[in-house]
Amino acid sequence: MPREQLLSKVFLEVADSLVADFDVLEFLQQFAEHCTELLDVAAAGILLGDEKGHLQLLAASDEHTRLLEVFASQSGQGPCVDCYLSGRPRIHIDLTDPDVTLPWPQFTTGARAIGFTVVNAFPLRLRERVIGALGLFQTQPGHLSDEDVLLAQALADMATIGILQQRTLAHNEVERSQLQYALTSRIILEQVKGILAERWQVSVDEAFNVLRAYARAHNQRLTQLALAITTGTFDTDQIPHTAPSPTL
Amino acid sequence: MISESMTKVLCFLEEDDSAGGVDAAAAAGAAALDVSGLAVSLTATESGLEPVACSSDTARSFEDAQFTLGEGPGVNAARTGTVVCVGDLTNERPDRWPLLLRELMGLRVRSVFCFPMALGAIRIGVLSATRHTASRFTPEQMDDSLALAAALTTRYLATMDEVPDHADALDFPESLEHAVIHQATGMVSVQLELPLSQALLRLRAHAYSTGRPITDMAHDIVNRRLRLSPTGDSTPPSLPVKD
């Protein structure tokens, strides 16, 4: 898809986030995927600060567990944390340069292990505060162009809008509640990946892909579907899956 | 970010595992949040929310009213897993909590702030703050309350532990934030036919008894290198109850 067209699609999806029936995780996952295409990076992740100021992963462009772990290792260290704390973008961070990566040994090891060589981090800004960061990971050397950097910050701002749903921006209480709900939903999703992986005897990554495909095909909201699975109110046999069922 | 006074309450909760610890934390938490009442209620299977610690009579009677009537902001927070803040109960739609709102005069509660105690789909109760006047929470008070609710969640999850000799294991490691632990929890819950809350405890107990980091163990479970066995002390599936 040409860039302009893709960008229009992103705008439409952000606008959709302002209507009532909206799933923040679903939106952000798609959004992260778009970021990788628009900016030609290998992976993108959206991280939110929790009440203690630790960064938590909310959504990633792909849900491979190893990638999620790299993001998780950033709760305390890494370029995204620096960006979150300073409120400034950290761009073109070269992970192959030991001088640069000195402060983040754990993060660097994990990121290098899956082939990332360059990281860029942009703040999710809300008025004078910073609520999280957008992390962009490259496997190829090469810098984002000036234009890309502007676009990346604009995308980070759009993610903020999606997360907070503009109409409620007036109340701080509501902001924090929504951030909290988004983080809780993220944990539910991980728990459900495990449940499905075991029921179907597939990997957690596969379980997620099947679940998401089902939610999309049936116009169901991912978070609600996940919650219904944990409470046992949704029969997961309704979801077609290819792997053989375990003999019971 | 967390205020200094709430940080003290959190440290206290971490160190004190006595029976009265939660009562003391509720009282200190109420002072830190500048509220007239702070209450902790746990989700019980049949009866809804049951108050287990209240900092004042106001908090107690508000919790009791919700418990008796089966409705209210705390009930909503526990059921939906979302924070429920009501700045002025007298402005609330009468049909939102028809029974409770009728009792308001006697309860002397004007604003209420309810925070679910949960870890993903594991929902164990709710922390509620009440004030006599119409009011809002500042961002710092929101963060303080969320942190206190999280600390109480950790504490109650630990005390639900049915495997003995883990009294020193009250605190969850920081790594509990890792996706793989939640995935492993889901897998163990299916393997051992346990609720998620108990599956997590099983996971944790195994980590402690083998002396391995819980994250490593969770990786092994997710990659199917390790499978926990339903040991002799396995209990029938049940929802979290207070100790």
Side-chain angles (χ1 to χ4, degrees), chain A residues 97-170:
Chain A
D97 181 344
D99 288 341
V100 172
T101 60
L102 199 61
W104 324 302
Q106 199 193 346
F107 163 74
T108 309
T109 311
R112 288 299 308 279
I114 40 180
F116 294 135
T117 50
V118 180
V119 184
N120 306 275
F122 294 86
L124 301 187
R125 302 175 299 193
L126 177 67
R127 296 189 287 271
E128 74 283 7
R129 292 193 297 131
V130 178
I131 63 163
L134 167 68
L136 302 171
F137 291 73
Q138 300 171 235
T139 47
Q140 308 288 336
H143 286 182
L144 297 178
S145 67
D146 290 351
E147 197 185 315
D148 284 341
V149 169
L150 285 175
L151 177 58
Q153 185 57 58
L155 287 168
D157 293 340
M158 280 197 259
T160 309
I161 295 176
I163 292 165
L164 293 171
Q165 304 175 33
Q166 208 170 26
R167 68 185 183 281
T168 57
L169 287 186

Side-chain angles (χ1 to χ4, degrees), chain A residues 29 34 37 44 73 95 138 152 163 171 188 191 202 226:
Chain A
Q29 269 160 7
H34 294 327
E37 295 168 52
S73 74
L95 295 182
Q138 300 171 235
I163 292 165
H171 304 307
I188 296 176
Q191 290 165 340
V202 297

Side-chain angles (χ1 to χ4, degrees), chain B residues 33 35 37-39 109 111-115 127-131 137 145:
Chain B
L33 290 169
V35 295
L38 195 60
V109 170
S111 49
V112 58
F113 311 86
C114 302
F115 301 86
L127 170 73
S128 302
T130 46
R131 281 184 178 143
F137 263 12
S145 309

Side-chain angles (χ1 to χ4, degrees), chain A residues 51 54 56 65 69 75 171-173 176-177 180-181 187-188 190-191 194-195 197-198 202 204 227 230, chain B residues 2 82-83 85 113 119-121 136-137 142-143 146 174 177-180 182-183 186-187 191 224 227:
Chain A
E51 73 276 2
H54 295 150
Q56 310 279 359
T65 303
E69 288 289 302
S75 81
H171 304 307
N172 274 314
E173 282 169 1
R176 185 32 96 188
S177 310
Q180 187 61 26
Y181 186 66
I187 297 177
I188 296 176
E190 300 301 345
Q191 290 165 340
I195 291 174
E198 186 58 26
V202 297
V204 286
L227 189 60
T230 63
Chain B
I2 318 288
T82 51
V83 178
C85 297
F113 311 86
L119 189 65
R136 290 200 171 283
F137 263 12
M142 288 299 284
D143 283 349
L146 288 167
E174 189 100 351
E177 287 155 1
H178 287 209
V180 69
H182 304 303
Q183 295 169 355
M187 288 182 71
Q191 287 168 2
R224 299 201 163 84
R227 197 181 165 99

Side-chain angles (χ1 to χ4, degrees), chain B residues 4-220:
Chain B
E4 236 173 84
S5 46
M6 186 56 80
T7 304
K8 279 183 197 150
V9 178
L10 298 179
C11 291
F12 165 79
L13 259 183
E14 215 164 281
E15 284 157 16
D16 181 290
D17 55 0
S18 68
V22 174
D23 287 305
L33 290 169
D34 189 24
V35 295
S36 45
L38 195 60
V40 181
S41 287
L42 295 185
T43 310
T45 334
E46 299 299 323
S47 44
L49 284 175
E50 266 194 70
V52 292
C54 299
S55 75
S56 68
D57 291 344
T58 314
R60 163 81 54 193
S61 44
F62 193 72
E63 289 303 291
D64 283 343
Q66 291 192 86
F67 176 61
T68 313
L69 303 171
E71 64 175 36
V75 178
N76 283 30
R79 197 170 50 216
T80 60
T82 51
V83 178
V84 176
C85 297
V86 185
D88 188 348
L89 280 163
T90 61
N91 280 345
E92 199 53 47
R93 284 193 337 264
D95 61 338
R96 193 168 182 196
W97 303 298
L99 303 171
L100 182 76
L101 292 174
R102 232 177 286 157
E103 305 284 323
L104 268 191
M105 288 299 279
L107 294 171
R108 298 204 316 125
V109 170
R110 191 75 186 272
S111 49
V112 58
F113 311 86
C114 302
F115 301 86
M117 289 157 53
L119 189 65
I122 305 173
R123 291 180 181 163
I124 63 164
V126 64
L127 170 73
S128 302
T130 46
R131 281 184 178 143
H132 298 310
T133 53
S135 69
R136 290 200 171 283
F137 263 12
T138 64
E140 189 175 63
Q141 285 166 338
M142 288 299 284
D143 283 349
D144 278 359
S145 309
L146 288 167
L148 182 56
L152 289 166
T153 305
T154 302
R155 184 188 177 95
Y156 279 107
L157 276 174
T159 53
M160 277 156 42
D161 206 332
E162 286 167 25
V163 187
D165 299 329
H166 298 295
D168 61 331
L170 270 177
D171 200 24
F172 284 93
E174 189 100 351
S175 59
L176 196 61
E177 287 155 1
H178 287 209
V180 69
I181 296 176
H182 304 303
Q183 295 169 355
T185 303
M187 288 182 71
V188 171
S189 82
V190 175
Q191 287 168 2
L192 302 185
E193 295 178 49
L194 290 171
L196 287 166
S197 55
Q198 309 226 347
L200 174 61
L201 295 178
R202 215 39 105 65
L203 202 63
R204 219 165 44 97
H206 193 267
Y208 280 109
S209 61
T210 56
R212 295 181 60 203
I214 191 167
T215 317
D216 291 1
M217 230 189 68
H219 269 293
D220 283 354

